[in-house]
Amino acid sequence: METNCNNDRGKFEFQQIFSKKSVQFRSLYIHAFVYAIGLTIYLLKEFYGVSLNFFPVRYLNSVVMVIWTSVFLVSVIDLFASYKIFDEEWEERKLKSLLDNKKVKKQKWE
């Protein structure tokens, strides 16, 4: 008698992976939107001489923008490179190998 437990578990794990990816992409898009606003304000302030001297914008200078740009680029490269290198096929192979190892361990002790 075979149950659908493995199918349900596979669906659950797939949903977890998909949920994790969607959260990462959503946070990247939010970060890109906020970065675009910050970059626009920085360019207006530095190159067009718009006087923006209220609290958070006052401290927006070249050093902050270099650090922010570096962090943004590293997060973009990390996200897209990890999904190019470790794509869905790699995840499926890794999941199968882990499940096979569990089955082999169960069979050894039974």
Side-chain angles (χ1 to χ4, degrees), residues 21 34 38-39 49 56 58 60 66 68 97 105:
K21 285 182 181 181
V34 173
L39 184 63
R58 182 182 323 153
L60 193 63
V66 166
W68 196 0
S97 74
K105 287 180 182 179

Side-chain angles (χ1 to χ4, degrees), residues 68-82:
W68 196 0
T69 302
S70 301
V71 169
F72 180 69
L73 289 177
V74 166
S75 65
V76 167
I77 291 169
D78 178 44
L79 184 68
F80 287 112
S82 68

Side-chain angles (χ1 to χ4, degrees), residues 51-93:
S51 62
L52 301 170
N53 290 326
F54 52 92
F55 170 64
V57 178
R58 182 182 323 153
Y59 300 107
L60 193 63
N61 57 19
S62 299
V63 174
V64 171
M65 288 309 296
V66 166
I67 293 171
W68 196 0
T69 302
S70 301
V71 169
F72 180 69
L73 289 177
V74 166
S75 65
V76 167
I77 291 169
D78 178 44
L79 184 68
F80 287 112
S82 68
Y83 287 125
K84 284 291 187 183
I85 295 170
F86 302 114
D87 58 349
E88 291 180 17
E89 293 174 5
W90 180 85
E91 289 175 358
E92 289 175 8
R93 283 184 285 152

